[in-house]
Amino acid sequence: MLQKNTVAPDFTLFATPDQKITLSEFKGKNIILAFYPADWSPVCSDQMALYNEILKLFRKYDAEIFGISVDSKWSHLAFSQSRNLHFPLLADFEPKGNTAIKYGVYNTEEGECNRALFVINKDGIIEWSYLSPMAINPGADGILEILETLKTK
């Protein structure tokens, strides 16, 4: 898993069936990457719902959040609509898990992303990373603590 002070690997992934997002386009903003195992699973649903609820707080710190899993863009679309999410879910679908592999959080045994969080500063450097147990919602406390420290830099 990539650690603090590592340059965040760039990627381009589908955010909707016809739109892609490239990480480097967000240089100048703080970025939160929330890798998660699968759409529709109970823990993932709760985790994404929590981030949706505190989205305004993330934006107060000039931060954008992206959820990333190996699910397809169509699964993400349905999941996002059903949960009324207001941030992008990115499809690390093909080549499967390529972005998760770059970040060191692809679970080859399960064929899905591990539950992991990264906070990337405005210069594209990882400030914080956290690998959560698969069955545990990591919440947002760690993310918010790091964003608070970035506010003073």
Side-chain angles (χ1 to χ4, degrees):
M1 178 174 183
L2 296 181
Q3 299 296 313
K4 182 178 173 141
N5 296 324
T6 304
V7 174
D10 200 16
F11 58 79
T12 300
L13 297 172
F14 277 101
T16 69
D18 62 350
Q19 292 180 319
K20 291 182 177 183
I21 285 181
T22 298
L23 180 64
S24 57
E25 293 174 352
F26 289 86
K27 213 165 203 170
K29 285 189 149 312
N30 296 311
I31 301 295
I32 304 156
L33 300 181
F35 287 89
Y36 65 99
D39 293 341
W40 311 105
S41 71
V43 176
C44 297
S45 295
D46 290 347
Q47 182 183 2
M48 295 304 117
L50 169 66
Y51 298 154
N52 198 54
E53 288 296 315
I54 62 172
L55 200 54
K56 284 183 182 177
L57 192 51
F58 291 154
R59 297 216 170 118
K60 179 179 147 192
Y61 291 103
D62 198 24
E64 294 292 330
I65 183 166
F66 302 108
I68 302 175
S69 79
V70 298
D71 294 293
S72 75
K73 56 191 174 184
W74 299 105
S75 178
H76 281 337
L77 179 64
F79 180 65
S80 184
Q81 287 176 343
S82 77
R83 300 294 190 269
N84 200 27
L85 299 179
H86 298 288
F87 62 91
L89 300 179
L90 306 180
D92 194 10
F93 187 70
E94 191 59 43
K96 186 176 182 183
N98 191 51
T99 298
I101 290 166
K102 288 180 187 178
Y103 281 79
V105 296
Y106 184 71
N107 183 329
T108 55
E109 288 179 21
E110 297 292 329
E112 60 192 21
C113 298
N114 287 319
R115 191 176 309 286
L117 299 170
F118 294 87
V119 175
I120 301 166
N121 68 25
K122 295 177 179 189
D123 296 318
I125 307 298
I126 295 171
E127 287 284 341
W128 179 78
S129 60
Y130 175 73
L131 182 63
S132 178
M134 291 294 268
I136 306 276
N137 180 344
D141 290 347
I143 296 169
L144 293 170
E145 286 174 21
I146 295 303
L147 290 175
E148 184 65 30
T149 66
L150 291 177
K151 189 172 126 180
T152 60
K153 286 188 177 182

